[in-house]
Amino acid sequence: YVIQTEHSFFISPFEEPVEPTVQFPPYPVFANQKITLGTSVKVYDGKVVGNADVQIGGSSYIEDGAEGNGKFTGGTSISANNLTFNGNVQLGGSSQITGDINSGGYFNSGTSVLVGGNIFANDCVDLGGSTNVNGNMDAGGNVSLGTSVKIFGNLTTAGTVSIGGSSIIYGLI
């Protein structure tokens, strides 16, 4: 079976294509439960949205990002736009997020991560070494920056800041 949500058609080897009678959400991937996508998965023309946890395997690409009511776990070398989750957000090393990261819990990244927008977390933020953040960072808890981290915007936190060697914050703290 093939289900295409942009212009939804059901196709089966036993029947002619017909227009669906049920309206689908405007997302290529949507689930009321946990979503798990394997490695090297490509999602074009929309977001991955779930009412629970979302887990994306390494080397995957999500054109418009992901949203969820649970937590987000991404493998290494993830590429996506915005990430917005009510729970924790955890990214593997060498990932690239072109937009903002919004976490209802903590945010944790591996090494060499690039964030093109802002990071907002209601709890702690832990950035792995050689991570670059092109926007602002706002944490509700403590902030830990690994070695050679660069934040090109302002850093705001309700907790303490631990800065690794050779890390630079170009904005205000």
Side-chain angles (χ1 to χ4, degrees):
Y1 291 93
V2 174
I3 300 174
Q4 186 179 18
T5 59
E6 180 76 29
H7 304 285
S8 299
F9 289 95
F10 294 101
I11 300 174
S12 160
F14 307 109
E15 60 188 59
E16 292 293 318
V18 294
E19 285 285 341
T21 57
V22 178
Q23 182 67 32
F24 285 99
Y27 310 113
V29 179
F30 177 82
N32 280 323
Q33 297 180 7
K34 180 178 180 178
I35 297 173
T36 301
L37 300 179
T39 59
S40 300
V41 173
K42 310 275 188 260
V43 179
Y44 298 99
D45 200 46
K47 296 178 181 179
V48 172
V49 179
N51 283 332
D53 297 345
V54 174
Q55 182 175 344
I56 308 293
S59 301
S60 292
Y61 172 80
I62 307 168
E63 185 174 32
D64 289 343
E67 295 179 10
N69 287 326
K71 66 181 178 182
F72 177 85
T73 306
T76 59
S77 301
I78 296 290
S79 182
N81 195 343
N82 298 317
L83 297 177
T84 302
F85 285 85
N86 288 337
N88 302 325
V89 174
Q90 191 165 0
L91 275 179
S94 300
S95 292
Q96 200 170 35
I97 306 301
T98 57
D100 294 337
I101 296 173
N102 295 287
S103 173
Y106 67 77
F107 172 68
N108 178 293
S109 77
T111 60
S112 302
V113 170
L114 173 62
V115 179
N118 302 305
I119 297 174
F120 302 100
N122 284 339
D123 202 348
C124 301
V125 173
D126 184 8
L127 300 181
S130 300
T131 293
N132 288 342
V133 179
N134 290 333
N136 298 318
M137 187 164 59
D138 187 2
N142 297 335
V143 173
S144 176
L145 306 179
T147 304
S148 300
V149 170
K150 293 180 182 165
I151 300 175
F152 291 94
N154 299 325
L155 178 113
T156 306
T157 181
T160 61
V161 178
S162 171
I163 301 175
S166 300
S167 291
I168 300 171
I169 300 168
Y170 290 95
L172 302 173
I173 299 177

